[in-house]
């Protein structure tokens, strides 16, 4: 081997390293399958009725495999809630990076969130777990405040750009938007499994955000 080591044979994983890598990949994949199964169970049956065996069977793994990744049902709920807010955060980042006007960002955030509530089981599970948070008995993420802060930030920018009516309060409008969204997605869930949530959220935006057409 030369001084610089440049002509050293390329380092390949040893059989033992390669085996460890495969085991780690399989563990990561199993954890994802278990989390998706837990979301399906929590979204459809609700936290109290779900058992770890339900989750194992939905995931197609043993109970031991579930317990390898999650200590108990409460840990599954916390992990689903964390993934729920991760997904909402991804939506928020995408809207931030889209370079929209402040009011267009408000509209885009809530419209994309409505579609996630309609289509994404992890999001549906997170929303239901937050309703059931008092039954879960372990620390759950604080709901609603992240959205309220994002919306307030954009509405303050809109106000600075004279895009809000005189006297409008960004903080108050933000709280009303979050309350209206939460109520609309819940009512839509109860009445039609969120089939019409996009239309319900659009009505909120038309009613509350200046310049949003019908
Ligand atoms: C977009 C409004 C806030 C959002 O709506 C439903 C829900 C469930 O907990 C939310 C949250 O932030 O936690």
């Amino acid at each position: 081997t030369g001084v610089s080591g440049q002509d050293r044979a390329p380092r390949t994983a040893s059989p033992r390293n390669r085996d460890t890598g495969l085991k780690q990949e399989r563990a990561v994949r199993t954890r994802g399958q278990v989390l998706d199964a837990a979301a399906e169970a929590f979204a459809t049956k609700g936290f109290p009725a779900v058992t770890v065996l339900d989750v194992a069977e939905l995931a197609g793994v043993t109970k031991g495999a579930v317990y390898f990744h999650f200590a108990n049902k409460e840990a599954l709920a916390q992990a689903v809630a964390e993934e729920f807010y991760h997904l909402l955060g991804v939506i928020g980042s995408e809207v931030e990076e889209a370079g929209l006007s402040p009011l267009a960002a408000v509209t885009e955030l809530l419209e994309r969130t409505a579609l996630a509530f309609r289509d994404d089981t992890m999001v549906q599970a997170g929303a239901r777990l937050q309703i059931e948070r008092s039954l879960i008995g372990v620390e759950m993420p604080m709901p609603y405040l992240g959205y309220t802060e994002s919306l307030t930030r954009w509405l303050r920018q809109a106000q600075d750009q004279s895009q809000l009516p005189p006297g409008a309060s960004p903080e108050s409008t933000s709280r009303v938007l979050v309350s209206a969204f939460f109520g609309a997605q819940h009512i839509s869930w109860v009445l039609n499994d969120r089939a019409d949530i996009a239309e319900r959220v659009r009505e909120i935006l038309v009613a509350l955000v200046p310049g949003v057409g019908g």
Side-chain angles (χ1 to χ4, degrees):
T1 301
V3 173
S4 66
Q6 289 305 314
D7 54 356
R8 179 192 297 136
R11 293 178 61 78
T12 55
S14 69
R16 185 157 38 87
N17 289 348
R18 201 167 39 246
D19 181 48
T20 305
L22 288 175
K23 279 180 182 168
Q24 283 167 343
E25 278 174 34
R26 191 161 50 245
V28 168
R29 194 165 50 249
T30 303
R31 186 184 188 280
Q33 287 166 330
V34 169
L35 200 61
D36 286 341
E40 175 69 26
F42 289 141
T44 53
K45 289 176 72 171
F47 179 82
V50 168
T51 66
V52 170
L53 182 59
D54 289 333
V55 175
E57 288 172 345
L58 269 173
V61 301
T62 62
K63 275 178 69 174
V66 176
Y67 283 120
F68 177 79
H69 293 283
F70 302 96
N72 49 35
K73 189 170 72 163
E74 288 72 10
L76 281 167
Q78 288 176 313
V80 168
E82 281 161 23
E83 183 60 16
F84 164 57
Y85 286 111
H86 169 71
L87 293 172
L88 293 188
V90 167
I91 293 172
S93 301
E94 287 172 350
V95 174
E96 285 274 3
E97 287 148 23
L100 300 170
S101 71
L103 293 184
V106 165
T107 301
E108 187 72 10
L109 177 73
L110 293 182
E111 288 187 332
R112 288 195 192 194
T113 304
L115 296 181
F117 272 72
R118 185 190 69 194
D119 300 336
D120 188 324
T121 304
M122 191 67 66
V123 171
Q124 293 157 5
R128 183 164 182 169
L129 286 170
Q130 285 292 33
I131 295 173
E132 298 167 341
R133 59 192 276 121
S134 62
L135 308 176
I136 299 176
V138 293
E139 188 71 27
M140 291 283 283
M142 187 54 68
Y144 319 126
L145 301 183
Y147 266 74
T148 306
E149 285 164 20
S150 299
L151 294 171
T152 300
R153 192 170 58 250
W154 278 321
L155 290 168
R156 283 187 184 137
Q157 289 173 17
Q159 187 170 55
D160 293 344
Q161 297 171 25
S162 306
Q163 292 174 351
L164 290 189
S169 156
E171 294 76 11
S172 169
T173 304
S174 173
R175 284 189 294 268
V176 170
L177 280 168
V178 170
S179 301
F181 179 97
F182 177 80
Q185 65 81 25
H186 185 82
I187 293 169
S188 179
W189 172 49
V190 170
L191 296 183
N192 55 65
D193 201 23
R194 293 193 178 95
D196 70 348
I197 185 175
E199 291 76 16
R200 298 291 72 77
V201 168
R202 185 76 189 166
E203 285 171 346
I204 293 169
L205 293 164
V206 168
L208 293 175
V209 180
V212 175

